[in-house]
Amino acid sequence: MGTRKRPDSLGDGSDVATATKQASRLKRPPRYRVLFHNDNYTTMEFVVWVLQTVFHKSETDSVLIMLSVHQTGMGVAGLFTRDVAQTKVQQTHELAKEHDYPLKLSIEPEDG
């Protein structure tokens, strides 16, 4: 029986497909912080509810994030890929509008 060449080999001893797979596994998509901004109208209870409902935070984590927003003017709800972050911001803005709150969120790159 003869030796068989593996389909992902170039025949020169290199294994291009495996090397490409390993390189792509190492690169993670950029992540973005979702930021809540303080205002004088949105209730603390609504912010906690949104954090639990949209961001799936525990009650304790939601209260801590809400207090950060209240005390420092801003709080981080989480790190997400850009599409997920934008979707969560849009969902929250829609909920805030439905409840007549001016709550604003933004996203920023994790490293910036």
Side-chain angles (χ1 to χ4, degrees):
M1 293 200 159
T3 60
R4 266 188 169 167
K5 286 186 182 179
R6 290 180 26 204
D8 58 349
S9 176
L10 295 177
D12 62 357
S14 67
D15 198 350
V16 175
T18 302
T20 303
K21 284 181 186 177
Q22 287 174 345
S24 66
R25 263 191 242 141
L26 298 176
K27 188 170 182 174
R28 188 172 82 187
R31 297 187 340 166
Y32 292 78
R33 287 182 193 92
V34 175
L35 305 172
F36 275 65
H37 300 276
N38 193 36
D39 64 66
N40 293 325
Y41 302 100
T42 306
T43 65
M44 294 177 179
E45 293 80 12
F46 182 78
V47 172
V48 169
W49 178 76
V50 166
L51 287 163
Q52 290 176 307
T53 305
V54 177
F55 293 87
H56 307 290
K57 298 290 185 183
S58 68
E59 183 175 4
T60 301
D61 288 343
S62 297
V63 169
L64 290 172
I65 294 167
M66 176 275 298
L67 288 172
S68 175
V69 174
H70 181 69
Q71 294 168 352
T72 67
M74 191 180 312
V76 178
L79 287 171
F80 307 94
T81 60
R82 188 169 77 181
D83 289 344
V84 172
Q86 289 173 332
T87 299
K88 289 186 178 291
V89 167
Q90 181 182 6
Q91 290 172 336
T92 302
H93 284 160
E94 288 172 6
L95 286 170
K97 186 176 181 180
E98 287 174 19
H99 290 86
D100 295 323
Y101 291 122
L103 182 61
K104 294 296 177 203
L105 283 72
S106 63
I107 66 171
E108 71 178 17
E110 177 181 25
D111 58 2

